[in-house]
Amino acid sequence: MESEFLYDLLQLPKDVAQPMEEELPRGGKKKYLSPNSKRNPKFEELQKQVLMEWINATLLPEHIVVRSLEEDMFDGLILHHLFQKLASLKLEVEEISLTSASQRHKLGVILEAVNQNLQVEEKQAKWSVETIFNKDLLATLHLLVALAKRFQPDLPLPDNVQAEVIHIESTKTGLKSDKQVEQLTECKSHKDQPLQDAFDELFKLAPEKVHAVKEAIVSFVNQKLERLGLSVQSLDTQFADGVILLLLIGQLEGFFLHLKEFYLTPSSPTEMLHNVTLALDLLKDEGLFSYPVNPEDIVNKDAKSTLRILYSLFQKHSPRAEGGGAHHATPN
């Protein structure tokens, strides 16, 4: 009877669940992710539309593509590249590990460095070498969410993602089971939800007006760049490397940027990202905008993000704003 109940609890066919009963030694424990949790839309969104896309965007310059968190993260190869990229450091581990023992060792070195960076003690971490290496999806998600919150705090993690976990223990009297719910992302109140800005509304509700807004901002930019002998024809593409953006900010805000501080002719995505990140830091220091903008989005030619940045300068330095009437205006 207990086995019948267990199969129903796990929502697995009997021919799949039966080996589990035979293989689990007395005193042994295992945990399983509820199939219902795996099928939950928010759970799938966290995996495929947020974390996987974030990893692939981060590792795009290295031509690394993740298609499955369970199958692609367990041996430490991709985690090695991801953490080095995020933390801007180099780990002394072999690039490719072919044997199970060497993969475990490599994973141990990486997770030790990760835990130190996240200031998480090994006993408190919701992941371990064993769980990651055994393709424990829940442990992998806990690890990636922690890395995202540490290095990409503006990543739009779906709110209140939970997973139902079934714990199985083999005792003298048979198998005992217990259900628990693990929290993967924070449960935010309504007031904590990020607000949509005017450009979200513009692209969503009035896409036909986007071209007019772009034209107005390009005209403003060209007026300001004229004295440098520069001009912009395409807002969508010409700001991706950060060069014109930095020159525009310097011109408007009175900054002198030494050529050693940025790449005047960037030749790689990394150099472009450096330029854009520097530009965003300058804008934040001047308090010109508070809406989070991901520098990778600018490099990837995201029109909405580029407009947000340029509009913050337009608000402050357009003739109308300088006349005192439009510092807090929003696109009409």
Side-chain angles (χ1 to χ4, degrees), residues 101-114:
S102 61
Q103 288 172 349
R104 284 177 181 269
H105 173 73
K106 177 178 180 176
L107 190 58
V109 174
I110 296 168
L111 290 184
E112 182 180 0
V114 168

Side-chain angles (χ1 to χ4, degrees), residues 80-310:
H80 174 207
H81 283 266
L82 178 64
F83 182 63
Q84 284 195 148
K85 182 85 171 178
L86 295 174
S88 300
L89 52 77
K90 183 171 179 59
L91 297 178
E92 296 300 325
V93 294
E94 55 188 346
E95 179 65 26
I96 299 177
S97 304
L98 298 178
T99 67
S100 176
S102 61
Q103 288 172 349
R104 284 177 181 269
H105 173 73
K106 177 178 180 176
L107 190 58
V109 174
I110 296 168
L111 290 184
E112 182 180 0
V114 168
N115 292 343
Q116 288 178 355
N117 191 283
L118 297 177
Q119 298 182 337
V120 174
E121 294 184 12
E122 185 177 350
K123 293 181 180 179
Q124 296 175 328
K126 296 179 181 179
W127 54 84
S128 65
V129 173
E130 194 67 25
T131 55
I132 301 297
F133 191 76
N134 287 329
K135 304 179 182 180
D136 185 320
L137 178 59
L138 201 58
T140 304
L141 287 173
H142 277 303
L143 173 60
L144 293 175
V145 167
L147 287 172
K149 291 170 68 175
R150 166 70 175 86
F151 294 103
Q152 194 77 50
D154 58 346
L155 191 69
L157 297 171
D159 177 37
N160 195 28
V161 179
Q162 297 177 328
E164 186 180 65
V165 183
I166 303 164
H167 294 261
I168 307 297
E169 181 179 3
S170 177
T171 67
K172 293 180 180 179
T173 58
L175 295 177
K176 288 187 176 180
S177 61
D178 177 44
K179 279 186 178 182
Q180 295 180 6
V181 175
E182 290 194 25
Q183 197 78 26
L184 283 162
T185 63
E186 297 175 1
C187 181
K188 300 178 183 178
S189 63
H190 179 71
K191 65 180 181 179
D192 293 328
Q193 297 291 340
L195 296 175
Q196 288 193 331
D197 71 349
F199 288 102
D200 287 312
E201 296 296 321
L202 180 67
F203 275 73
K204 182 179 179 181
L205 301 178
E208 72 281 358
K209 296 183 180 179
V210 172
H211 181 69
V213 173
K214 287 182 179 180
E215 283 191 335
I217 292 181
V218 166
S219 176
F220 157 76
V221 169
N222 283 333
Q223 287 176 9
K224 303 302 179 182
L225 291 177
E226 187 177 8
R227 68 190 69 178
L228 297 179
L230 299 173
S231 66
V232 170
Q233 283 76 45
S234 172
L235 181 147
D236 292 345
T237 62
Q238 287 185 260
F239 291 91
D241 63 6
V243 176
I244 292 181
L245 183 58
L246 283 169
L247 295 175
L248 177 65
I249 293 172
Q251 185 76 6
L252 294 174
E253 296 293 320
F255 291 130
F256 172 75
L257 294 175
H258 198 282
L259 291 178
K260 292 182 179 179
E261 296 183 37
F262 70 103
Y263 297 94
L264 187 61
T265 56
S267 58
S268 69
T270 301
E271 294 179 356
M272 294 165 66
L273 188 62
H274 170 87
N275 285 353
V276 174
T277 302
L278 174 60
L280 292 183
D281 288 342
L282 292 173
L283 290 175
K284 288 175 184 176
D285 289 344
E286 293 299 304
L288 286 181
F289 71 102
S290 58
Y291 196 96
V293 174
N294 189 340
E296 283 87 354
D297 290 340
I298 306 299
V299 174
N300 292 329
K301 303 175 184 177
D302 179 72
K304 192 190 301 183
S305 298
T306 304
L307 274 172
R308 283 193 177 105
I309 292 177
L310 296 176

